Amino acid sequence: MIIKHQKETFKNVLYLGTHLGIYRYDDTSSEWRPFANNLPTTTVMDLSINIPDNQIIAGTYGRGIWRSEMPSVELAPYDIALLDFENPSVLLSCGSLIPEIFVRNKGQNSISEIEISYSLDNGPVNYLTRNVSIASLDEENIILDELNLASGEHTLNVSVAIENDAFSSNNNKSIRFKVNNFAEVGATNNFENEQDNLLVEAVQNSTALWERGEPNGVVLYNVGSGSNAYATNLDGNYTSNTKSHLYSPCYDLTNIENPILKFNMAFDIEFDWD
């Protein structure tokens, strides 16, 4: 047998897979009742509940996989859900960031006020109150305060709450993202100082290979200007089976016609591999 709880149901709906099919239970009925809505009466080996599509999926013994619509459940009097982030919506942002979240009223009654708490990089928790007007089952975007962030990787944790909220399990979201600095158009970056650092990203569980400094390899050992460069390895080969990104700063090109990006590059390609 296998049992599954339909999350965030006011009457705690349960589904039980048995040798005789699927049974359903909630706090109102207080008993197990057969649930055979387009489902076979056979041995059920596995169950999965799809909340967004309101469906239950059953894996049976010898009869394949079956899918069925679940009955509508009574909404809680009050329930707010944090669905996702509207901003940052990509993994890389430029300069300051104005976070924006997407919430849904999953309760019976309208919501007029939301308490929001958020923290950046596990730092101090900030608190906001937003006056809203969200009817039952409606959704709304909420803009938070602007964040001025240093270049690099950050983690934003956000939680929402309302008075008499039925479920706290759908109140929290977290997102990891990177922030890049803006640079002046027309300026040359020779990578001579720490403030010239570029944003480095490891890809596909690789190691972030790019490093700034004086090249000292057998093949690559000089630079186009100054004394420093960025290299995947300043004094030798890079690690095999790796992938690493190096980002230029962000540039505002809206007032420039036919912009051109120029850089000096040297490389040593391994035959049939790179």
Side-chain angles (χ1 to χ4, degrees):
M1 293 193 298
I2 182 170
I3 190 168
K4 291 286 184 178
H5 176 224
Q6 187 177 350
K7 295 181 179 179
E8 299 166 14
T9 50
F10 191 53
K11 295 181 178 178
N12 290 315
V13 177
L14 297 172
Y15 288 92
L16 179 68
T18 73
H19 291 294
L20 300 174
I22 298 175
Y23 287 77
R24 184 181 185 276
Y25 173 96
D26 62 44
D27 291 345
T28 300
S29 63
S30 297
E31 65 178 0
W32 291 99
R33 296 177 178 176
F35 181 73
N37 182 20
N38 295 323
L39 296 171
T41 305
T42 188
T43 300
V44 174
M45 306 295 292
D46 197 10
L47 288 175
S48 179
I49 293 178
N50 184 335
I51 296 296
D53 295 334
N54 195 44
Q55 293 180 336
I56 185 169
I57 299 99
T60 69
Y61 181 78
R63 295 288 302 276
I65 298 175
W66 294 70
R67 181 171 58 187
S68 175
E69 193 86 8
M70 294 186 296
S72 298
V73 295
E74 182 180 345
L75 300 177
Y78 295 94
D79 183 28
I80 184 72
L82 175 54
L83 300 181
D84 209 346
F85 290 91
E86 288 293 301
N87 191 36
S89 58
V90 295
L91 295 181
L92 183 64
S93 300
C94 291
S96 61
L97 173 71
I98 302 178
E100 186 174 355
I101 58 175
F102 191 37
V103 300
R104 186 182 191 192
N105 180 1
K106 299 182 71 175
Q108 300 176 22
N109 301 296
S110 296
I111 295 175
S112 59
E113 185 178 273
I114 299 179
E115 299 289 338
I116 304 169
S117 59
Y118 64 95
S119 65
L120 186 70
D121 302 328
N122 296 318
V125 179
N126 302 280
Y127 298 93
L128 294 173
T129 299
R130 289 288 188 262
N131 294 320
V132 295
S133 180
I134 311 176
S136 176
L137 300 181
D138 278 357
E139 299 169 349
E140 185 166 319
N141 290 1
I142 299 176
I143 298 175
L144 309 186
D145 292 341
E146 183 176 6
L147 300 174
N148 292 308
L149 305 174
S151 175
E153 187 173 82
H154 299 278
T155 300
L156 179 63
N157 301 296
V158 178
S159 178
V160 297
I162 58 175
E163 190 174 358
N164 300 317
D165 195 3
F167 305 108
S168 61
S169 58
N170 57 13
N171 294 160
N172 309 297
K173 285 287 183 181
S174 179
I175 186 171
R176 295 179 65 183
F177 61 98
K178 288 181 173 61
V179 169
N180 205 352
N181 290 328
F182 274 96
E184 181 182 351
V185 172
T188 300
N189 188 346
N190 292 321
F191 313 128
E192 294 302 301
N193 304 302
E194 188 173 342
Q195 58 265 31
D196 297 331
N197 286 350
L198 300 183
L199 187 62
V200 175
E201 179 186 35
V203 183
Q204 299 173 350
N205 298 320
S206 298
T207 302
L209 301 179
W210 289 96
E211 53 186 2
R212 181 181 64 86
E214 296 185 18
N216 190 31
V218 175
V219 177
L220 304 178
Y221 51 83
N222 56 18
V223 297
S225 61
S227 59
N228 288 343
Y230 264 96
T232 51
N233 189 338
L234 289 167
D235 58 6
N237 294 330
Y238 62 82
T239 308
S240 298
N241 301 315
T242 54
K243 187 175 183 180
S244 184
H245 289 167
L246 180 68
Y247 292 95
S248 79
C250 299
Y251 294 97
D252 183 1
L253 305 179
T254 55
N255 296 319
I256 299 179
E257 293 185 6
N258 302 319
I260 297 175
L261 175 65
K262 294 182 179 180
F263 54 91
N264 293 321
M265 181 177 67
F267 53 87
D268 180 27
I269 292 182
E270 186 177 2
F271 184 71
D272 280 343
W273 290 97
D274 288 324

